[in-house]
Amino acid sequence: IESLLACFDSRFWIPVSNILLRLCKGTGFEQKQNTESTSLIFQQLLQDTCKANETLYNTFLNKLFTIMNWTATEFTVTMKEIQSSTGSHSSAEMHQQQRKCAIMFELSVTLLRLLEFVVRELPLTFIKGSINATRLFETISFILQHTTTGPDSKLFAQIINSQAHQYPSMEKVSQKSILAPIAGIFINLYRAAQEIDKAEGSDVEKDDAKNALVTAFFKNMSCKPVCFEFMVEFLELQFDADADMQNMHLANPPSRPWPTNSPKPRGYKDLNDFISRLDFVKSRQKSTVNINDLEDIPEEFLDPIQFTVMRDPVRLPGSKVVVDRDIIERHLLSDQTDPFNRSSLDKDMIEPVPELKDRIEKWIQEQSDKSTALPPSE
């Protein structure tokens, strides 16, 4: 397993992805169970290896996100090229563009299924408020923005709704293929958060881990919440349509309308619960002040790299500069040095600054209280 994960790089990520998917095939959302390919031994070995070698696991995740972002971006760029070149290029050139677009789409789906499996096996990596959660939500938001609803999704809708003769090389490009693994990622995260709340004895009204998960997604999403809602509604309609097709092919099909007593997978309930919590967070956010938009922010509260209010200040041992943890951890994914003096640095070396963190939290609470305070009566 260690050798397999170590080989996931710019040269061998495609064959490694295919091997990993072969071993976990059938475990994803809306996938048929396939006991011939699924390996419970492999799944346990993957867990054990990643827990025992955190450095290898984090390196693998970093490469997975980087390549995932590249394939998704290439897919959207190629769609724009196809649209802009329609009627102006030869059929051979159009075929080549369509083939590239289809390949980038299929690679994106493959990586999403792999990411879904990793989240399923090691969900705490993404729930405990790490940089991995931020990158996960940013990646998913970008894909939802371009494949569900809204201005950025029009090209995708044009391709999947077109006649087969218009884009003959892209018949495998479909909404369900790319949305199902994203739904599976959220289901895996939500269920893991449920288990945390259950283990910690959180009451139904609090549900701390689930609310923290939904809030983290809301804060890091670049797409609108309606994109997530579109995904869930589309998959539910697709599930009903598939059930209709199965009824039509029965030896003695029931009379229409088809019976509605065939239950949907539990995952749909989890997704709709997630939407309800997302709506609540969205409504609450409307009345919450944006801290970074305020004037007169104390300079010591600002991260010196991005000039945003720090939420978890840490001190770099070499330069002694205080920065926000999330920002420096993202920097360390690609550069293991202190950005201020280039001395060697890894995340285990950074030092928390709890006293400053307490003062920042107190100041944020004061600003929030001011924004929600009622105006004095006349």
Side-chain angles (χ1 to χ4, degrees):
I1 298 298
E2 286 190 4
S3 299
L4 200 59
L5 296 181
C7 286
F8 191 85
D9 55 23
S10 57
R11 288 191 302 164
F12 300 114
W13 66 271
I14 294 179
V16 171
S17 298
N18 290 332
I19 293 172
L20 292 173
L21 275 186
R22 175 78 178 172
L23 293 169
C24 64
K25 192 174 182 179
T27 62
F29 182 63
E30 291 286 15
Q31 279 189 323
K32 294 181 180 179
Q33 296 294 326
N34 190 331
T35 54
E36 292 182 5
S37 299
T38 305
S39 171
L40 297 177
I41 296 176
F42 161 75
Q43 293 168 22
Q44 188 60 52
L45 281 173
L46 178 66
Q47 280 193 40
D48 294 343
T49 301
C50 292
K51 289 177 181 177
N53 194 335
E54 187 176 348
T55 300
L56 174 65
Y57 175 51
N58 285 328
T59 301
F60 165 73
L61 269 186
N62 180 37
K63 292 176 181 176
L64 178 57
F65 281 126
T66 300
I67 298 172
M68 174 81 252
N69 289 331
W70 175 74
T71 59
T73 301
E74 284 294 304
F75 171 62
T76 59
V77 168
T78 310
M79 283 195 297
K80 293 177 182 177
E81 290 175 349
I82 290 174
Q83 184 195 44
S84 62
S85 62
T86 300
S88 61
H89 286 156
S90 66
S91 58
E93 290 173 322
M94 288 296 296
H95 175 75
Q96 186 175 0
Q97 283 184 326
Q98 291 174 26
R99 187 168 181 275
K100 177 185 175 183
C101 191
I103 289 172
M104 287 301 162
F105 176 83
E106 291 181 41
L107 290 174
S108 297
V109 171
T110 295
L111 293 174
L112 278 172
R113 281 298 185 189
L114 181 54
L115 192 53
E116 178 189 13
F117 175 70
V118 172
V119 172
R120 174 179 178 265
E121 296 301 311
L122 298 154
L124 296 185
T125 308
F126 307 92
I127 287 182
K128 293 298 184 179
S130 68
I131 189 66
N132 292 322
T134 299
R135 298 192 75 188
L136 174 67
F137 294 144
E138 288 175 349
T139 299
I140 287 176
S141 294
F142 177 83
I143 296 173
L144 288 176
Q145 186 175 340
H146 289 85
T147 58
T148 53
T149 185
D152 292 329
S153 66
K154 288 182 178 180
L155 282 177
F156 184 70
Q158 178 182 326
I159 287 174
I160 60 176
N161 293 326
S162 63
Q163 298 296 321
H165 70 271
Q166 289 181 268
Y167 303 104
S169 303
M170 300 174 65
E171 67 230 3
K172 292 185 179 180
V173 176
S174 72
Q175 225 158 10
K176 182 179 179 180
S177 297
I178 200 160
L179 294 184
I182 293 178
I185 288 171
F186 280 104
I187 291 169
N188 293 334
L189 288 173
Y190 198 70
R191 289 179 181 175
Q194 284 179 321
E195 291 301 316
I196 292 174
D197 286 333
K198 184 177 179 180
E200 295 179 352
S202 176
D203 58 50
V204 176
E205 294 183 357
K206 284 187 176 180
D207 284 340
D208 295 334
K210 285 189 286 188
N211 289 334
L213 172 67
V214 176
T215 301
F217 174 61
F218 182 83
K219 288 181 177 179
N220 290 288
M221 63 192 294
S222 58
C223 64
K224 294 182 178 180
V226 69
C227 294
F228 187 91
E229 296 164 9
F230 179 98
M231 174 188 73
V232 177
E233 182 178 357
F234 169 82
L235 290 173
E236 286 188 308
L237 290 173
Q238 190 69 46
F239 177 86
D240 292 337
D242 291 344
D244 270 5
M245 290 298 294
Q246 289 178 359
N247 280 322
M248 288 176 64
H249 289 88
L250 291 175
N252 297 300
S255 59
R256 298 185 77 105
W258 309 127
T260 57
N261 56 0
S262 54
K264 288 186 174 69
R266 175 192 154 198
Y268 286 109
K269 180 181 183 305
D270 296 328
L271 291 171
N272 281 295
D273 286 348
F274 193 99
I275 288 177
S276 298
R277 293 177 187 272
L278 190 61
D279 288 340
F280 175 75
V281 171
K282 182 173 63 173
S283 64
R284 187 177 60 183
Q285 201 73 15
K286 289 180 180 178
S287 61
T288 302
V289 63
N290 187 337
I291 297 300
N292 292 309
D293 289 342
L294 293 175
E295 298 179 358
D296 301 323
I297 301 173
E299 189 173 347
E300 64 175 328
F301 292 176
L302 291 173
D303 173 81
I305 299 175
Q306 293 194 0
F307 297 100
T308 52
V309 176
M310 294 183 287
R311 299 306 180 113
D312 189 2
V314 293
R315 182 175 287 107
L316 307 183
S319 62
K320 304 301 180 185
V321 176
V322 176
V323 298
D324 193 55
R325 183 186 295 274
D326 280 351
I327 293 173
I328 193 62
E329 285 189 355
R330 183 181 283 264
H331 164 79
L332 292 174
L333 291 173
S334 57
D335 188 348
Q336 298 284 306
T337 64
D338 184 323
F340 299 96
N341 66 1
R342 312 309 297 172
S343 59
S344 179
L345 179 68
D346 63 56
K347 70 176 186 176
D348 293 330
M349 296 167 64
I350 58 180
E351 306 161 0
V353 189
E355 182 271 333
L356 178 57
K357 182 178 181 180
D358 290 342
R359 286 197 288 124
I360 293 174
E361 290 177 348
K362 182 180 179 181
W363 179 80
I364 291 175
Q365 186 60 54
E366 289 172 352
Q367 304 308 308
S368 180
D369 292 343
K370 287 180 184 178
S371 71
T372 56
L374 294 174
S377 56
E378 297 181 358

